Amino acid sequence: MNRPHYILLPANSLFITLSLVVAFMLNLFPWGARVGIPDFVALVLVFWSIHQPRKVGIGVAFTMGLLMDVHDAVFLGENALAFTLLSYFAISIHRRVLWFPPLVQSLQVFPLFLGVQLIQLTVRLLSSDSHFPGWTFFLECAVTTALWPVASWLLLAPQRRPVDKDNTRPI
């Protein structure tokens, strides 16, 4: 493969914050009870937890989880617990995931998104008299995983330098 190897610029904290706000706003859309709508906050949290674990960590994940709890009107702490564990496991595998191209990375992060849905489902089933929503409930994590290469390309775009065609430079 002849992919260009980019030397990335440092991530801008303002861009990280903006991407988390945009992901939260996308989750606020009134999708209704449609099946397969991705969890944009989880996607962006995993991305930044893998690429910038010192800037976006468990505290940011907990805060975003609380905001999603309030928006979804679920038990306070359901999304906070899920996002905190999501961020923890994303940080724990971040060195391994960065070795792979984005398509293979999506296979590495699929269990994280599946784990979030399993935690949310377990909390809902244990805390109320609700029933199992069916196997289509897990379509959300598959769609979120499918968006990983697109999100990776979009969120790394401001950090990429243009490919320099100068053959006299050593780097």
Side-chain angles (χ1 to χ4, degrees), residues 121-169:
L121 179 65
T122 304
V123 169
R124 288 178 191 164
L125 290 177
L126 291 176
S127 60
S128 66
D129 293 334
S130 63
H131 60 284
F132 182 69
W135 294 106
T136 57
F137 176 75
F138 295 108
L139 191 60
E140 177 183 319
C141 66
V143 173
T144 306
T145 304
L147 285 177
W148 178 263
V150 175
S152 181
W153 182 78
L154 282 173
L155 293 173
L156 283 179
Q159 296 176 353
R160 286 193 195 97
R161 297 178 187 194
V163 177
D164 192 5
K165 300 292 184 188
D166 188 5
N167 294 327
T168 60
R169 295 178 64 192

Side-chain angles (χ1 to χ4, degrees), residues 64-76:
M64 295 301 289
L66 285 178
L67 290 172
M68 286 306 301
D69 285 336
V70 170
H71 170 261
D72 292 340
V74 295
F75 293 103
L76 192 63

Side-chain angles (χ1 to χ4, degrees), residues 73-124:
V74 295
F75 293 103
L76 192 63
E78 176 184 320
N79 288 315
L81 171 68
F83 287 170
T84 302
L85 291 174
L86 174 75
S87 180
Y88 172 77
F89 288 116
I91 290 170
S92 68
I93 67 168
H94 84 276
R95 289 182 188 255
R96 179 182 57 169
V97 170
L98 291 175
W99 279 94
F100 298 107
L103 284 174
V104 180
Q105 286 178 4
S106 62
L107 296 175
Q108 301 279 324
V109 298
F110 175 73
L112 298 175
F113 297 131
L114 182 63
V116 166
Q117 288 220 276
L118 286 173
I119 291 169
Q120 291 171 340
L121 179 65
T122 304
V123 169
R124 288 178 191 164

Side-chain angles (χ1 to χ4, degrees), residues 44 51 55 62 86 115 121:
V44 173
H51 286 274
K55 290 185 179 182
F62 182 77
L86 174 75
L121 179 65

